[in-house]
Amino acid sequence: MKLTLLGTGNAGMLPVYGCTCQACDRAQHTLSYRRKKTSAVIEHQGKQLLLDANADDLLTRFPAGSIDRILLTHYHMDHVHSLFDLRWGEGTPIRVDGPDDPQGCDDLFKHPGLLVFRPPLTAFKAFSWQGITITPLPMNHSKVCFGYCFEWQGRRIAYLTDTLGLREDVTAWLVANPIEMMLIDCSFPPSSSREGRPPVNHNDTDTVRIIQQECHPKKMGLIHVGHDLESWAMDNPNYFTACRFLAFDEQEFDL
């Protein structure tokens, strides 16, 4: 099983249009520091499972017939916008699973085209894909949202975006099911760098540190990264360790 991060940025990506902060300036001049919107793909037994569908190059990167299934975290536009192009394709229908959100996004449910939206998943009710056990975990967000834990031969990767903190029942589940790699939303630097303003809808570094202390993942990669966090990280490298790091686009994790 291999998980590849197609993008690790937030909705503004990196560099942010028109921004001249040090992180955006660096990303303008060095392609490896650029961040697309957060999404991923899991490859296993010759099949590919997309985690969200927002890659600008989705239609060319994944030719017809190569996408076995799509798993959505939620229906905010920055996580599903490529579905609006994909749905008009031809060929084998593509199954789409996600949380219970009757509103969805715009007219996707009304005009699904190639997409087959399945009945919504249920929190903590595991299901199987190609022998991998997948458990939906409810996140704290402005729209109903799931993170997912992927288990293969007793080893687990947790993919947790978009969220602000974790619910008590999710924390308890993660403690009871030890995580090898946690890929988690972290859009903001600490509150001390934001004049004490609390984070909204997404984690900051203070929240992530608490989650790490409570859930004890072996390693933690930060995703859904905003340019303010990236700029802060350039000045505060000591926050990051071998066990807590900024993930980057195209990074791969194997079980």
Side-chain angles (χ1 to χ4, degrees), residues 156 168-179 182 211-217:
R156 302 178 185 90
E168 290 185 5
D169 53 355
V170 172
T171 297
W173 192 95
L174 292 169
V175 171
N177 297 272
I179 302 300
M182 178 181 287
I211 292 172
Q212 186 177 29
Q213 292 170 347
E214 292 179 340
C215 297
H216 308 292

Side-chain angles (χ1 to χ4, degrees), residues 137-212:
L137 302 173
M139 300 289 97
N140 295 322
H141 199 48
S142 58
K143 202 167 179 63
V144 59
C145 181
F146 279 157
Y148 296 98
C149 179
F150 301 90
E151 180 178 349
W152 170 245
Q153 297 184 340
R155 300 169 66 191
R156 302 178 185 90
I157 292 179
Y159 182 88
L160 309 177
T161 191
D162 297 24
T163 192
L164 174 52
L166 294 178
R167 292 173 23 162
E168 290 185 5
D169 53 355
V170 172
T171 297
W173 192 95
L174 292 169
V175 171
N177 297 272
I179 302 300
E180 184 161 321
M181 172 63 66
M182 178 181 287
L183 299 167
I184 190 162
D185 179 308
C186 189
S187 291
F188 305 114
S191 60
S192 59
S193 71
R194 307 192 316 273
E195 299 178 349
R197 288 179 287 116
V200 178
N201 261 340
H202 300 277
N203 291 325
D204 64 6
T205 54
D206 296 329
T207 314
V208 161
R209 191 193 299 268
I210 293 171
I211 292 172
Q212 186 177 29

Side-chain angles (χ1 to χ4, degrees), residues 13 52 58 61 64 74 89 102 109 135 164 177 187 194 239 248:
M13 299 180 288
D52 286 335
L58 189 145
R61 178 163 184 159
H74 64 302
F109 293 160
T135 304
L164 174 52
N177 297 272
S187 291
R194 307 192 316 273
Y239 174 84
F248 56 85

Side-chain angles (χ1 to χ4, degrees), residues 54-241:
N54 56 18
D56 292 333
D57 63 348
L58 189 145
L59 300 187
T60 54
R61 178 163 184 159
F62 300 98
S66 66
I67 301 172
D68 184 61
R69 192 165 171 178
I70 298 174
L71 191 57
L72 300 178
T73 58
H74 64 302
Y75 284 92
H76 271 149
M77 180 64 78
D78 60 307
H79 287 259
V80 302
H81 68 77
S82 293
L83 294 181
F84 287 89
D85 298 326
L86 184 62
R87 63 177 171 174
W88 303 125
E90 298 182 1
T92 305
I94 300 174
R95 174 172 176 163
V96 182
D97 292 280
D100 188 4
D101 185 347
Q103 300 302 316
C105 183
D106 198 69
D107 67 348
L108 281 174
F109 293 160
K110 185 178 180 181
H111 301 291
L114 189 69
L115 308 174
V116 180
F117 290 94
R118 303 292 294 169
L121 301 172
T122 301
F124 300 107
K125 185 176 181 180
F127 61 96
S128 179
W129 174 78
Q130 301 298 318
I132 296 172
T133 300
I134 304 175
T135 304
L137 302 173
M139 300 289 97
N140 295 322
H141 199 48
S142 58
K143 202 167 179 63
V144 59
C145 181
F146 279 157
Y148 296 98
C149 179
F150 301 90
E151 180 178 349
W152 170 245
Q153 297 184 340
R155 300 169 66 191
R156 302 178 185 90
I157 292 179
Y159 182 88
L160 309 177
T161 191
D162 297 24
T163 192
L164 174 52
L166 294 178
R167 292 173 23 162
E168 290 185 5
D169 53 355
V170 172
T171 297
W173 192 95
L174 292 169
V175 171
N177 297 272
I179 302 300
E180 184 161 321
M181 172 63 66
M182 178 181 287
L183 299 167
I184 190 162
D185 179 308
C186 189
S187 291
F188 305 114
S191 60
S192 59
S193 71
R194 307 192 316 273
E195 299 178 349
R197 288 179 287 116
V200 178
N201 261 340
H202 300 277
N203 291 325
D204 64 6
T205 54
D206 296 329
T207 314
V208 161
R209 191 193 299 268
I210 293 171
I211 292 172
Q212 186 177 29
Q213 292 170 347
E214 292 179 340
C215 297
H216 308 292
K218 290 183 178 179
K219 291 187 178 181
M220 172 182 277
L222 308 189
I223 56 176
H224 211 279
V225 174
H227 70 136
D228 291 338
L229 170 58
E230 186 93 41
S231 186
W232 178 86
M234 293 171 69
D235 294 329
N236 295 272
N238 291 337
Y239 174 84
F240 302 94
T241 67

